[in-house]
Amino acid sequence: MSSTICPYCGVGCKLRVDIHKKIIYPENYITNKGMQCVKGATLLETIESGRLTSPMINGKEVDWGKALEYSVNKIRRIIRKNKDSLGIYIGAQIPTEDQYLAVKLGKGLIGTASFDSNVRLCMASAAYALKYAFNDPSPTVSYDDLSKAETYFLVGVNPASSYPVLWNRMLMNRKRNKAKMIVIDPIFTDTAQQSDIFIRIPPGKDIILLNSIAYVLIEKGVKIEPEGFEEFKNVAMKYPLERVANLLGLDISVIYDIALRIYKTKTIFMWGMGVNQTIHGVDTGILIATLAMLSGNVGVEGSGVLPLTGQHNSMGAREAGALAGMLPGLRYISNEDEVREVEDYWSLPRYSIPRHYYTITEMYRLIEERKISALYIIGTNPIVSLPQSRKFADLLSYLDILIVQDAYFTETAKYADVVFPASSWGEREGIHTSGDRTVGYLSKIIDLKTDALPDWLIFQRIANYLGFEFNYKSVDEIFTEFKGLTKGRTDDISSLSYNDLIGGYRWPFKISTIKPKIYKTKGVDLDKEDLVIDDNEIIIITGRTMGHWNTRTRSSRSWSLALISDDDFILLGNDYCEKLGVKNGSKVRIMTNEGYTDSIVKCVNWIKGNIAFMPFHWGHANKIMDWKIDPISKEPAFKHLKARILPLS
């Protein structure tokens, strides 16, 4: 009987696993408190199905020596001409030590600026917003604060479906302490169905409502006045209740009641991909954080900001420096002193680490311009997950070499020149950080007899073939080196061992509620065209379902999840189905400027008007989605796909 952490969402539930009896059940751990969801319960069904077991070159199995020599010879020739011609794109579901070593190799020793994490697709906007508002890209509260809050203020997030364990903790507090729930969303989600106040708002119009709530708070007298308040006030005062009620079709009293509620009670402000994955994701996050400041809901137990993290080690990816523009210890490439600290720690000559960077958004363009010749994809499946994914697949033919490192034979691996088989959940050890800053230890509980290796060991072999001295004997050695870069930082774990992390450690200093040292805001306004609500255009929102995870790489291997999960579909409101003349099971064509895809319709009563919903697990919407992004975070606007729908049957 062994314990480890679930590899799915950012809650980071600890599970006890009996390999022989094929049983998984939850532990009473700091994040999940003895609870688990159905995906975690079915993990053992996913271990061997569809796994990569040997390295491959052009679809043929080879030994590690041949695969590494072939790959490194090509990489060496490419980076000799231009280091940035090597693109590295890494997933956030592998342990922090592995991500750290990839960063040291890629951003440090090789010195490529073309290095990004798939956190870019989910939490980049939230990280930028928090960094701006509090000078720290971290939530100000932990999951423990959920049991102390009096109000939950949720924007564009559906924890009932996407974070069931957190949702249960919220429901228990609601019953115990009569906490109220305010939900703002374009869709009447599972979460909205149990809310005390629900506002159905058109996609991208959150800023209108949030400014109006701020208007009321300013009138009542702000409790924390942040830097930039006068600029903020000048914008917010352009959104009086009467104007906003008219724009959004709301009752003035509802807006006032929301403002009064968060002003008088301990409130946790939560948001998700419905905010992050928009063209105003960063600004909306800053605006939500500002509401927390104005209402005095920061730095007080049971109140604060808690954007909900998608992947189980998204926070660890930022700590490791895997996100473009970042370095280990929550450092930033824009800060010259912090870059020099890392270069000195790694004993690198000055300017070894590039002072510029390219996100996956820019890397996409650089491939098209033939400025990236080699792409190394690690633990992520961009053929399904990226916008314009059909075009991305075509662009891969521009590369001299595509290397894919994964535990499973993904849709992306099918395009690879070289495939490296990596160890997966339960087969490796290391650390991860939950979405509330809790660092946990991932123990090895399974020993499959294949040629698959932990990601860190593959990086070490590549480094050695390139002539760099990586001589780590264990992942613990990497952990020791990494944690040295956290010393004196917000995410300081420098004094801790793996044993110290078995019960979970929440940085900084085991503090649940952080009181920021800096409070900052700015005016967040919309252009005139953004204020217009056009009921004639369909807006497709993509999102997760309870039974599957991201691109289904792991979850599709579970027969139990397959039994309870729906197939691919598009959800339309009953009113729009009637307008189109379609019924449940009808086939429709979804068209955008990027092309078309066909789907089966489900008509539901919890969607209304010109809104549609498509699960992103199959990637069909992504094939016809353009690269609209937040201009600051470069995060794609998955939640705002404009389309036309035509009946086919």
Side-chain angles (χ1 to χ4, degrees):
M1 187 77 73
S2 304
S3 297
T4 193
I5 305 291
C6 177
Y8 284 120
C9 78
V11 177
C13 299
K14 192 163 192 178
L15 307 175
R16 186 163 287 272
V17 184
D18 189 324
I19 298 295
H20 303 294
K21 294 182 180 179
K22 305 286 185 186
I23 295 173
I24 294 179
Y25 56 91
E27 287 198 2
N28 187 24
Y29 182 63
I30 188 172
T31 58
N32 58 307
K33 301 295 184 184
M35 293 179 279
Q36 70 178 5
C37 75
V38 64
K39 287 192 287 288
T42 59
L43 274 167
L44 289 177
E45 299 174 16
T46 71
I47 291 175
E48 298 187 54
S49 174
R51 291 296 301 277
L52 290 167
T53 57
S54 299
M56 292 189 289
I57 297 176
N58 297 323
K60 294 182 180 180
E61 292 189 356
V62 296
D63 61 38
W64 272 105
K66 287 183 179 178
L68 288 166
E69 184 176 9
Y70 178 87
S71 303
V72 171
N73 282 342
K74 291 226 175 192
I75 290 173
R76 188 182 289 114
R77 286 196 297 270
I78 288 165
I79 61 177
R80 237 179 235 147
K81 296 178 182 177
N82 181 359
K83 292 177 180 179
D84 293 350
S85 291
L86 169 62
I88 300 175
Y89 185 49
I90 189 169
Q93 290 177 269
I94 63 176
T96 304
E97 295 91 337
D98 302 60
Q99 296 192 59
Y100 166 76
L101 207 61
V103 171
K104 183 179 180 181
L105 174 61
K107 296 185 182 183
L109 277 70
I110 293 174
T112 178
S114 306
F115 189 120
D116 202 8
S117 164
N118 69 358
V119 172
R120 183 69 49 194
L121 307 186
C122 56
M123 292 303 292
S125 289
Y128 275 82
L130 294 174
K131 173 69 173 171
Y132 185 92
F134 306 117
N135 198 35
D136 187 336
S138 316
T140 68
V141 293
S142 76
Y143 300 149
D144 286 348
D145 285 280
L146 293 174
S147 62
K148 302 164 187 172
E150 297 170 322
T151 303
Y152 302 116
F153 185 93
L154 298 99
V155 186
V157 67
N158 183 16
S161 178
S162 298
Y163 308 93
V165 169
L166 292 189
W167 179 241
N168 284 337
R169 294 186 69 169
M170 292 165 69
L171 290 181
M172 286 191 291
N173 181 49
R174 193 179 188 193
K175 183 177 181 179
R176 183 174 55 247
N177 294 331
K178 298 182 179 177
K180 300 291 184 181
M181 193 171 299
I182 300 163
V183 176
I184 301 166
D185 205 288
I187 295 174
F188 193 53
T189 62
D190 307 8
T191 301
Q193 290 174 30
Q194 299 196 51
S195 64
D196 297 285
I197 300 176
F198 169 63
I199 293 186
R200 190 191 301 271
I201 197 163
K205 311 305 177 187
D206 313 73
I207 288 173
I208 300 172
L209 176 63
L210 298 173
N211 268 319
S212 188
I213 295 171
Y215 180 99
V216 178
L217 297 177
I218 292 168
E219 291 281 290
K220 294 198 71 62
V222 302
K223 296 182 179 179
I224 298 174
E225 185 173 308
E227 177 188 339
F229 174 69
E230 286 304 317
E231 178 198 341
F232 177 85
K233 179 180 177 181
N234 289 338
V235 174
M237 299 312 281
K238 292 160 51 178
Y239 291 89
L241 273 62
E242 295 82 1
R243 181 190 182 208
V244 171
N246 183 57
L247 279 171
L248 300 178
L250 300 175
D251 192 317
I252 290 176
S253 64
V254 174
I255 304 173
Y256 184 82
D257 288 347
I258 290 174
L260 196 62
R261 177 76 194 179
I262 65 175
Y263 191 77
K264 290 185 173 181
T265 64
K266 292 197 293 185
T267 302
I268 292 182
F269 296 78
M270 305 162 76
W271 71 90
M273 302 312 124
V275 169
N276 296 336
Q277 294 174 340
T278 69
I279 59 173
H280 300 296
V282 175
D283 281 350
T284 307
I286 291 170
L287 185 45
I288 296 171
T290 304
L291 293 185
M293 300 177 211
L294 302 184
S295 61
N297 279 300
V298 188
V300 179
E301 188 180 70
S303 67
V305 295
L306 181 65
L308 294 184
T309 300
Q311 300 178 84
H312 96 106
N313 203 21
S314 286
M315 187 71 76
R318 283 170 266 169
E319 293 173 86
L323 197 64
M326 294 191 74
L327 289 170
L330 298 179
R331 291 175 173 86
Y332 286 82
I333 283 172
S334 58
N335 186 315
E336 180 63 22
D337 290 339
E338 292 181 348
V339 180
R340 290 181 176 225
E341 287 171 3
V342 178
E343 285 176 333
D344 292 342
Y345 190 84
W346 286 341
S347 301
L348 295 176
R350 195 64 73 220
Y351 301 108
S352 295
I353 297 172
R355 268 54 172 182
H356 61 287
Y357 60 89
Y358 300 113
T359 68
I360 187 61
T361 309
E362 285 117 0
M363 286 161 62
Y364 192 111
R365 173 180 52 79
L366 292 173
I367 295 171
E368 188 170 15
E369 295 173 357
R370 303 189 183 242
K371 293 178 181 177
I372 285 181
S373 304
L375 187 58
Y376 184 13
I377 297 172
I378 305 153
T380 188
N381 190 16
I383 285 289
V384 178
S385 61
L386 287 182
Q388 285 185 328
S389 55
R390 184 179 288 154
K391 182 179 179 181
F392 180 75
D394 292 338
L395 288 178
L396 295 179
S397 64
Y398 290 20
L399 299 168
D400 290 341
I401 185 170
L402 171 63
I403 303 168
V404 172
Q405 181 171 309
D406 211 299
Y408 296 90
F409 194 63
T410 63
E411 289 85 348
T412 305
K414 295 174 185 176
Y415 287 79
D417 301 293
V418 180
V419 175
F420 294 149
S423 303
S424 186
W425 173 80
E427 304 163 18
R428 59 197 179 190
E429 65 174 332
I431 65 168
H432 91 115
T433 307
S434 299
D436 72 337
R437 315 184 313 273
T438 300
V439 184
Y441 173 65
L442 308 159
S443 60
K444 181 179 178 180
I445 60 174
I446 305 163
D447 189 13
L448 294 183
K449 295 181 178 179
T450 70
D451 288 336
L453 297 173
D455 292 278
W456 72 265
L457 192 50
I458 301 173
F459 301 143
Q460 175 156 291
R461 291 189 178 188
I462 291 172
N464 294 155
Y465 268 79
L466 283 169
F468 302 121
E469 290 189 10
F470 271 17
N471 298 304
Y472 301 99
K473 301 295 188 297
S474 67
V475 70
D476 194 8
E477 286 187 28
I478 304 168
F479 170 66
T480 299
E481 180 178 306
F482 163 71
K483 69 183 183 180
L485 275 170
T486 71
K487 188 172 183 178
R489 308 292 299 177
T490 304
D491 59 335
D492 193 339
I493 56 169
S494 58
S495 64
L496 304 178
S497 68
Y498 280 155
N499 281 337
D500 296 322
L501 300 176
I502 289 175
Y505 174 87
R506 188 174 288 134
W507 52 259
F509 316 117
K510 297 186 178 181
I511 294 173
S512 177
T513 311
I514 295 177
K515 185 171 184 178
K517 297 177 182 177
I518 292 174
Y519 298 93
K520 187 178 178 182
T521 189
K522 65 175 184 176
V524 177
D525 207 349
L526 288 177
D527 296 329
K528 287 183 179 179
E529 54 267 29
D530 289 326
L531 293 173
V532 177
I533 300 172
D534 185 356
D535 290 330
N536 293 317
E537 61 187 16
I538 276 284
I539 298 176
I540 298 175
I541 297 171
T542 66
R544 184 178 294 139
T545 63
M546 187 178 292
H548 278 302
W549 175 255
N550 286 10
T551 64
R552 300 171 59 249
T553 299
R554 186 191 304 277
S555 61
S556 65
R557 316 293 172 185
S558 165
W559 62 270
S560 298
L561 293 179
L563 288 174
I564 64 170
S565 300
D566 291 313
D567 291 328
D568 196 10
F569 49 81
I570 182 168
L571 291 170
L572 297 172
N574 288 329
D575 55 345
Y576 205 84
C577 283
E578 185 176 344
K579 180 179 176 180
L580 279 181
V582 297
K583 298 179 180 179
N584 276 323
S586 295
K587 196 171 186 180
V588 295
R589 176 153 294 173
I590 306 158
M591 299 178 296
T592 71
N593 293 335
E594 299 298 323
Y596 71 87
T597 188
D598 296 338
S599 184
I600 301 298
V601 168
K602 286 194 174 182
C603 302
V604 296
N605 63 5
W606 42 273
I607 295 178
K608 292 189 178 184
N610 62 328
I611 306 298
F613 176 85
M614 283 188 78
F616 60 56
H617 308 298
W618 289 265
H620 293 314
N622 289 349
K623 290 178 183 177
I624 58 171
M625 182 174 290
D626 59 17
W627 264 105
K628 285 191 178 72
I629 59 170
D630 180 282
I632 301 169
S633 69
K634 304 297 192 297
E635 183 166 336
F638 290 106
K639 298 298 189 275
H640 205 271
L641 175 60
K642 294 181 180 179
R644 302 179 303 280
I645 299 179
L646 293 178
L648 292 179
S649 61

